[in-house]
Amino acid sequence: LRNKIRHAIIPVLQELNPAIEKNITEDIERLRNVEAIYKKEIEKKRKKIVLAGKNSVSMRIPELKKLEPLQAYLYEFLKPYHFHSDAVENIIRALEAEPGKQFLSDTHRLVKDRNELLIEALQTKPERISIKINTKAVDLDGQLLAFKIQTKNKTFKIPVSKNTAAIDLDQLKFPLEIRKWEKGDTFQPIGMNGKKKLSDFFIDKKLSLIDKEKVRLLVSDNKIVWVIGYRMDGRFKIGEKTSNVFFAELT
């Protein structure tokens, strides 16, 4: 194609304008300079608007709406996540829609939350993981969840880290299960007398849609033992009569 342009098209253009090659060269250089300005402006806005979180990348919708032309900015912001121009146009139309609208590229998922666009890599993790009494550890969304059993003695202290659950072994029925939360799930947060809906617990914690979807539960006999990384269920806490402790720890 390049040879056809050079040998067939350029000579015709030179007949019309002898300075065509010089003009084309100057235009190319000018476009390179324009491109440099364009990229610099895109990166300047990207640093302010595209924010990396623990589980996802987010973009504040009110800040996006200030950009003009929005289609060009959003296309560049989403290009690393393989969203094409037609998807970008649909995403812009969804900015005024209710939370929960989703868009998929080959590698990522974008979710329209209340005031943010949230982007995460597509996951292929199993929905449910069985935990036997001798299971040492499992991979949980890139983090290691390790297990061990320890005899409770006089020097035992309950860990205070939210990433560690110290559970009364006698209250557990194996195999345990790790699963995603489901609509209608309830548990008794340690420190509370009554039950609480997980959906209400997430509201209290101000979790985004993607953060909520990443929550995993440690379950025994269909009872929630631990909202992993957040709160244990008080029915499985260590007590005076506890003799053996089952530890689960995110590392």
Side-chain angles (χ1 to χ4, degrees):
L1 179 60
R2 185 176 299 174
N3 283 334
K4 286 183 178 181
I5 292 172
R6 181 181 296 115
H7 297 296
I9 297 176
I10 293 296
V12 175
L13 293 176
Q14 284 177 325
E15 290 180 9
L16 300 172
N17 180 3
I20 189 66
E21 285 192 76
K22 179 175 180 296
N23 291 345
I24 289 175
T25 301
E26 291 176 350
D27 286 344
I28 290 172
E29 184 61 29
R30 193 174 297 109
L31 288 171
R32 283 176 180 159
N33 292 335
V34 170
E35 181 184 26
I37 296 171
Y38 174 81
K39 287 183 176 180
K40 185 176 181 180
E41 175 64 15
I42 291 294
E43 288 308 308
K44 180 181 176 182
K45 296 296 186 184
R46 190 196 306 273
K47 289 178 181 178
K48 290 183 178 180
I49 294 176
V50 183
L51 305 176
K54 180 181 178 181
N55 297 319
S56 63
V57 172
S58 66
M59 286 179 269
R60 293 278 298 169
I61 291 174
E63 296 303 314
L64 282 174
K65 289 180 178 180
K66 296 177 184 178
L67 300 177
E68 183 64 36
L70 176 55
Q71 200 277 343
Y73 279 104
L74 191 57
Y75 174 80
E76 295 295 341
F77 294 165
L78 294 177
K79 188 191 295 183
Y81 312 107
H82 306 103
F83 287 95
H84 302 300
S85 57
D86 54 345
V88 171
E89 292 176 5
N90 290 331
I91 291 167
I92 290 173
R93 285 194 287 269
L95 294 181
E96 304 296 336
E98 292 294 317
K101 184 76 173 177
Q102 300 187 36
F103 301 88
L104 299 178
S105 72
D106 291 338
T107 57
H108 288 75
R109 179 176 68 136
L110 182 148
V111 178
K112 194 271 180 182
D113 205 347
R114 291 181 295 274
N115 292 306
E116 295 177 308
L117 297 181
L118 303 172
I119 305 166
E120 67 165 353
L122 294 176
Q123 302 292 328
T124 57
K125 296 291 182 181
E127 293 294 315
R128 295 175 182 264
I129 303 173
S130 180
I131 306 297
K132 298 178 181 179
I133 196 167
N134 59 350
T135 299
K136 299 300 182 184
V138 295
D139 179 13
L140 196 62
D141 296 325
Q143 283 187 286
L144 189 69
L145 182 59
F147 307 102
K148 67 178 181 180
I149 296 173
Q150 178 181 323
T151 301
K152 183 189 171 208
N153 53 35
K154 293 181 179 180
T155 62
F156 175 80
K157 292 183 179 180
I158 298 175
V160 295
S161 171
K162 68 177 184 178
N163 289 327
T164 303
I167 304 160
D168 187 336
L169 180 65
D170 291 336
Q171 302 301 317
L172 298 176
K173 292 185 179 181
F174 288 86
L176 308 179
E177 185 179 62
I178 294 175
R179 64 168 174 83
K180 292 184 177 182
W181 77 282
E182 299 170 354
K183 187 175 180 180
D185 275 336
T186 62
F187 79 125
Q188 184 178 312
I190 197 165
M192 286 183 60
N193 293 324
K195 290 186 177 181
K196 191 178 186 73
K197 288 184 178 180
L198 269 181
S199 55
D200 293 337
F201 178 74
F202 296 152
I203 291 172
D204 293 344
K205 290 294 182 181
K206 298 180 179 179
L207 299 188
S208 70
L209 288 171
I210 284 182
D211 286 336
K212 285 190 286 188
E213 289 184 1
K214 286 187 173 292
V215 170
R216 296 294 183 273
L217 309 175
L218 182 64
V219 178
S220 171
D221 193 28
N222 293 320
K223 298 184 183 70
I224 296 173
V225 179
W226 183 29
V227 182
I228 298 174
Y230 291 95
R231 189 79 63 86
M232 260 190 62
D233 187 299
R235 295 170 292 181
F236 297 88
K237 68 181 181 180
I238 303 300
E240 293 182 0
K241 296 182 180 180
T242 301
S243 55
N244 294 293
V245 181
F246 182 80
F247 281 97
E249 182 178 14
L250 280 172
T251 60

